Amino acid sequence: APGSGEEALSPRQLTVQSLDKSQLLSIIPHPLSQLQMRFLVMTLGLNFSGFDVWRNLVVVLCKCVAALEKEPHLFIDFMDTLKVQISKMPGEILSDVMLADIFKHLAMLHRAISDVGDERIRCSLDSSYSRLTGMLKADYEM
């Protein structure tokens, strides 16, 4: 705002900020623990509001473009965790629509992985992505 001492963001910066959710990692305490806790609430309690929170965490993690290279182990663990969670999800929660939605967000994550500059990190992330999507394609015909 004018006179507040803060610089206005350029249109490009606003676009990047709205698309890249990496800054949210600083306000989400232990995102993988949150994901696991929400998964348990959703599956053990068949709580569909828990599903919304779980899905939102998945979407946010899939949109953390800038953090991929800074915290690759977080995203490798995220994809490994998601693989296990989806394979253990009860049928009453797991639907084709939900799987298609998750697959769409994972495709966005994969595009970001392709842009990671460090080849070693990119290969590790890509390997985790391939394991996850391979399971989805094999088990759920995605």
Side-chain angles (χ1 to χ4, degrees), residues 32 35-36 72-88 106 109 124-133 135:
L32 292 182
L35 189 70
Q36 291 173 334
H73 294 291
L74 170 66
F75 294 94
I76 290 168
D77 291 346
F78 161 62
M79 288 183 276
D80 291 344
T81 299
L82 192 57
K83 180 182 173 207
V84 171
Q85 288 181 345
I86 290 172
S87 72
K88 302 294 183 193
L106 287 172
L109 179 64
S124 294
L125 289 165
D126 201 45
S127 177
S128 288
Y129 175 84
S130 294
R131 283 191 305 271
L132 172 57
T133 56
M135 182 271 300

Side-chain angles (χ1 to χ4, degrees), residues 12 24 26 36 41 59 70 73 95 104 114 122 124 130:
R12 184 181 190 296
L24 293 178
S26 65
Q36 291 173 334
V41 166
V59 169
K70 295 176 190 165
H73 294 291
S95 70
K104 174 185 75 172
S114 300
R122 185 177 58 249
S124 294
S130 294

